[in-house]
């Protein structure tokens, strides 16, 4: 599988913590882009994924959509997801989502994120967003021991449950890297894995217009959009992304809503 090696400058106007996080995640983010391309082609064909439409089709005949007002069997649904928060930008993002009446799915990091912004985690859940895991410390799960994998997955689950009262059922593996061993441990912990179909590569630019264009160019029904609210160009792009996709007839849903009336099965990997 090919790996991207571009060097991304850290924005000077970002805070020190954001710059530190960006530096730590840049290689992971670049590899995420490479993996997204490889999955689209054939580089990671060994990872079996299940499409949202297949989950819906496998639900009991006549079952009602369980989440919200949208029925993605009929509606043109798309899911907005954010990785690696919460961050200093998340409060503004939540304001935008509330104003636009758009639910999102947040794949949160534990270290320096959940533990630093617990009130934002509570707010995400209280405002109807899906709160999920992006591991504790962004370790690559395919490169660490079983005990470390369990710790990376269990710690954010426990922290999120303490804050929201609900244990996550979804996780996104760092860099999208996963294998049968990760699937097995995720299943033990009651977690399904969620990849993506749209990446704005928002770690490569502060240009909100470019981020918006990249999302709109790739958007399609049942799409799962990957963004990172830790980068300064991303949150300003969100209103335009929402407005443009609504104008195209899309309905925004969380990942569980996208699968309803089916549900994610622990140990499986989901991707449009």
């Amino acid at each position: 599988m090919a790996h991207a090696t571009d060097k991304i400058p850290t924005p000077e106007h970002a805070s020190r913590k954001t710059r530190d996080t960006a530096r730590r995640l840049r290689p992971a983010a670049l590899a995420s882009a490479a993996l997204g391309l490889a999955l689209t082609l054939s580089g990671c064909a060994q990872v079996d994924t299940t499409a949202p439409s297949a989950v819906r089709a496998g639900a009991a005949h006549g079952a009602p959509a369980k989440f919200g007002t949208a029925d993605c069997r009929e509606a043109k649904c798309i899911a907005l997801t954010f990785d690696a928060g919460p961050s200093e930008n998340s409060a503004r993002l939540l304001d935008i989502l509330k104003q636009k009446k758009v639910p999102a799915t947040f794949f949160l990091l534990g270290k320096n994120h959940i533990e630093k912004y617990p009130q934002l985690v509570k707010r995400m859940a209280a405002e109807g967003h899906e709160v999920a895991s992006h591991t504790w410390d962004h370790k690559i799960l395919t490169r660490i021991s079983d005990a470390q994998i369990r710790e990376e997955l269990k710690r954010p689950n426990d922290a999120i449950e303490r804050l929201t009262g609900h244990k996550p059922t979804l996780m996104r593996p760092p860099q999208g890297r996963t294998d049968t061993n990760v699937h097995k441990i995720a299943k033990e912990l009651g977690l399904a894995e969620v990849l993506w179909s749209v990446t704005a590569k928002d770690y490569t630019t502060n240009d909100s217009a470019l981020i918006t264009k990249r999302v709109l160019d790739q958007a399609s029904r049942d799409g799962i959009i990957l963004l990172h609210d830790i980068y300064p160009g991303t949150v300003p792009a969100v209103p335009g992304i929402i407005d443009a996709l609504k104008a195209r007839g899309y309905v925004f849903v969380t990942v569980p809503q996208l699968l309803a009336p089916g549900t994610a099965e622990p140990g499986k990997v989901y991707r449009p």
Side-chain angles (χ1 to χ4, degrees):
M1 184 188 304
H3 294 271
T5 56
D6 302 28
K7 188 172 182 180
I8 304 168
T10 303
E12 290 303 320
H13 56 282
S15 73
R16 185 186 187 104
K17 176 60 72 175
T18 298
R19 291 199 301 269
D20 290 345
T21 302
R23 288 190 189 101
R24 180 165 55 87
L25 292 184
R26 273 178 297 181
L30 286 165
S32 291
L35 179 67
L37 178 59
L39 283 167
T40 301
L41 302 173
S42 59
C44 289
Q46 72 271 20
V47 177
D48 292 328
T49 63
T50 301
S53 58
V55 181
R56 297 194 301 264
H61 181 69
K66 297 179 182 178
F67 299 96
T69 57
D71 185 343
C72 295
R73 294 169 295 187
E74 305 294 336
K76 185 179 171 183
C77 292
I78 198 162
L80 196 55
T81 74
F82 296 90
D83 281 12
S87 76
E88 60 194 14
N89 304 317
S90 299
R92 175 58 185 148
L93 173 58
L94 288 169
D95 290 344
I96 292 167
L97 296 174
K98 185 175 184 179
Q99 178 188 8
K100 300 287 186 182
K101 296 181 172 60
V102 166
T105 302
F106 289 92
F107 293 94
L108 304 181
L109 282 174
K111 186 177 180 181
N112 297 325
H113 295 273
I114 292 172
E115 63 182 5
K116 182 175 181 181
Y117 300 100
Q119 294 305 316
L120 287 175
V121 179
K122 291 180 180 180
R123 182 181 168 190
M124 288 168 181
E127 294 184 358
H129 304 292
E130 185 72 14
V131 181
S133 167
H134 195 41
T135 73
W136 186 257
D137 196 25
H138 211 266
K139 290 185 173 70
I140 307 307
L141 300 179
T142 55
R143 298 177 184 170
I144 59 179
S145 70
D146 287 6
Q148 289 174 306
I149 294 171
R150 287 187 178 89
E151 182 178 12
E152 280 292 296
L153 297 181
K154 189 174 185 303
R155 286 186 71 183
N157 272 15
D158 291 346
I160 289 168
E161 185 175 22
R162 282 194 300 271
L163 292 169
T164 69
H166 299 283
K167 183 174 289 186
T169 59
L170 305 176
M171 75 93 164
R172 178 166 283 157
Q175 299 185 12
R177 293 189 177 272
T178 187
D179 58 21
T180 54
N181 192 51
V182 175
H183 307 337
K184 179 190 73 172
I185 296 171
K187 184 176 182 179
E188 292 173 6
L189 297 174
L191 291 167
E193 300 170 59
V194 179
L195 302 182
W196 60 90
S197 59
V198 178
T199 174
K201 299 182 181 178
D202 50 356
Y203 44 83
T204 66
T205 181
N206 297 330
D207 186 341
S208 298
L210 179 58
I211 292 169
T212 301
K213 181 180 186 302
R214 288 171 173 173
V215 171
L216 299 182
D217 285 350
Q218 299 172 62
S220 61
R221 184 175 181 177
D222 285 350
I224 298 177
I225 300 167
L226 168 62
L227 293 168
H228 301 79
D229 60 325
I230 61 171
Y231 298 113
T234 300
V235 172
V238 171
I241 290 169
I242 290 172
D243 291 346
L245 289 177
K246 282 185 174 180
R248 294 182 185 181
Y250 285 98
V251 177
F252 285 92
V253 294
T254 64
V255 171
Q257 288 173 329
L258 191 65
L259 305 181
T263 57
E265 183 178 331
K268 287 195 173 182
V269 185
Y270 296 89
R271 180 182 183 271

